[in-house]
Structure formats: C-alpha cells, structure tokens
Amino acid sequence: TIAHEKSLLAAAVPEAGRIWLEPAWSEVLRVEAARWQAPIFPLPGLEETGIQVRDTEPLAWRLDHPRWGTLCLPLVAPHEVALALGAAEIAAAQGVEPESLRARLAVLQRPTGRLGVHRYGALTLLDDSYNASPLSMEAALRTLSLWPRARRRVAVLGTMNELGAEAESLHRALGAHAARLQLDALACVGRGGGWIADAARSAGGVAQAFPDAESAATALAATLHVGDVVLLKASRGERLDRLIEPLARAATQLSERATQDAPRRAVGGA
C-alpha cells in the first residue's frame, strides 16, 4: 500500500536526518513511526496560523505568509498549495532565504498529467490523468466543482488501479461522491468507470459509462460547449491522456464556428 511504501522510506532515514510528515499521515503511520530513527517534523498547510489567503484564482493563488511575506503560486487547487508550502518549509529548514523561496514558488511547474491546465479555444482542460487514488480523485473533483466562470463542469473519470479487494466499493463510493457535487456531466471509462457511473446514477446523478478512452473521446467531442471545463482523472493504465488531442481539435473547431457566427448574430440582433 501507499502507507507501507512511505513507511519504508522513512525507516531508511538515519538518526541524524529529519522526517517531514503531513498531519494526515501521522495517525495512519502511528505504529510504524514509533520504529523510525530520525526525528519527525509536522508539515504545516494552509491552516497554519497566520497564513492569509488573498486570492484563489486558478494559476494565480496569492497568500500572505507570516515569515515569507506575499507568495504568488501558479497553482489551481488547495492540495497543491499545501504541498508547495510543505516543500518550502523543508527548504527553509535547510537555510533557503525567504526571497529565494518567493521567487521559486512563483515559477513552479508541474509534471505532465498532474492537474495541468490547457486552454484550447473554447475549452479549458484539466489534465490529471497520470495517476489516481480515492483521495486524489476527491481533491480533483473539488477543484473542478469550484472552477470559476465555467459554462459546464465535466468530469471524465476512469479506473483507479491497485486498490485490491476494496476496488469496487471504493469506486462506487467515488461515484456517489461525484453525484453529490452536481456536475454537469460525468463520463466514466473502463471497468472502474462502470462502477463509478452505476453508483453515481443510483445517487441521483447523470453519468455515462464507456469501455475505453477512445469511445469517451468520440462522445465528448460531439457534445462540447463554449466555456466547458473538462477534468481527466484516472490511473495511468486507463490512458485518459488519449482524450486530449480529439477534445482539443473539437474545441478549436467549436471556437471557430462561434467566431464566424458572431457577426451574423449581431446583424440579426440589430
């Protein structure tokens, strides 16, 4: 499991080292932590006393930190900001000055498929297709549900791999959660996607199931609207990144048609 692998990493740290741990993991790893050699330091997040969040505009977060001053972060989600602050906390403990921290945080870049924001004409695409777990799925869905100025919010969710005997129940729990968010559309891909869609429909949501990424891409490309925000999220094996090219192509064509129709609508309105 993820917890076990994290514990092995921490157990390998010598007594003279340091282990930085998010508060959420403290209880999960309580038994394992008792056997670690190095001292443990908690990683503060957005809830740290004194941090004031000034702006949560996607790609333009701004907050005031009691020790580092005003920070500008090109991130989109609260969990990303918390991770960035944790990394900065470790850097500060190693002697990095606040001025350098501010400069580095302002130019953060994320790896491909890690909640990247792409704009293709009329479409905003959130590519989080590299990996997925129940917690990261919920975090990504929350980001989508809060995205500002979206005409429609569409989630494309696929199978979460390596969940063992609880795989079906965890996918179904995610489907029920997605339904409660009242997204405008939910497309579910693969075996796990079938469980997600079934549970979402049972919870009163509207969801479609597709056997693979290609069939989902075909259906979604035909139903895009100007101003849509689409999230791609699944384990890497589902290859939801294959939706990017057809959706980008469809969105560009949609934007071109909208631009061509605008003068005709203006004349008709006059």
Side-chain angles (χ1 to χ4, degrees):
T1 65
I2 295 175
H4 177 68
E5 295 300 321
K6 285 183 176 288
S7 178
L8 291 178
L9 291 172
V13 179
E15 187 176 352
R18 292 184 175 188
I19 298 170
W20 297 87
L21 195 63
E22 293 177 287
W25 286 102
S26 297
E27 181 60 27
V28 175
L29 298 174
R30 178 174 51 84
V31 175
E32 291 86 348
R35 298 191 291 268
W36 297 343
Q37 303 177 72
I40 301 171
F41 295 84
L43 279 176
L46 285 175
E47 72 283 355
E48 180 187 25
T49 302
I51 291 181
Q52 298 291 323
V53 178
R54 300 300 185 186
D55 197 344
T56 60
E57 179 70 19
L59 298 178
W61 274 68
R62 186 169 66 86
L63 53 88
D64 293 334
H65 193 283
R67 287 179 284 124
W68 307 331
T70 299
L71 304 177
C72 300
L73 299 95
L75 304 175
V76 300
H79 65 279
E80 287 188 309
V81 176
L83 288 171
L85 290 176
E89 194 72 42
I90 296 171
Q94 306 305 311
V96 179
E97 296 295 329
E99 182 178 354
S100 181
L101 286 175
R102 289 193 296 271
R104 295 181 190 186
L105 288 170
V107 294
L108 285 174
Q109 296 184 8
R110 58 174 55 77
T112 301
R114 300 284 193 173
L115 205 53
V117 180
H118 307 282
R119 293 190 170 94
Y120 302 106
L123 172 70
T124 297
L125 183 67
L126 309 181
D127 177 18
D128 204 14
S129 62
Y130 182 78
N131 208 350
S133 67
L135 287 179
S136 70
M137 280 281 205
E138 290 185 8
L141 285 170
R142 180 175 184 271
T143 300
L144 174 64
S145 70
L146 298 175
W147 199 268
R149 300 178 297 279
R151 176 172 178 176
R152 296 192 312 154
R153 296 173 177 85
V154 180
V156 184
L157 307 179
T159 305
M160 299 178 285
N161 292 327
E162 301 177 0
L163 294 180
E166 296 182 272
E168 181 174 351
S169 63
L170 290 171
H171 281 87
R172 290 186 178 280
L174 178 65
H177 174 75
R180 289 192 294 271
L181 293 176
Q182 298 183 332
L183 302 173
D184 296 290
L186 180 61
C188 307
V189 180
R191 184 185 184 193
W195 293 327
I196 294 171
D198 185 56
R201 290 191 290 261
S202 296
V206 178
Q208 290 180 281
F210 300 93
D212 50 42
E214 288 80 6
S215 58
T218 299
L220 288 168
T223 58
L224 282 181
H225 292 70
V226 171
D228 280 358
V229 179
V230 178
L231 167 70
L232 308 179
K233 182 69 173 173
S235 287
R236 178 64 175 163
E238 206 67 82
R239 292 296 309 276
L240 291 191
D241 58 312
R242 288 179 291 184
L243 277 80
I244 295 176
E245 184 176 340
L247 290 182
R249 187 166 54 248
T252 301
Q253 294 170 353
L254 181 63
S255 295
E256 291 173 351
R257 289 198 300 271
T259 300
Q260 293 167 1
D261 289 345
R264 288 195 289 270
R265 288 197 299 269
V267 172

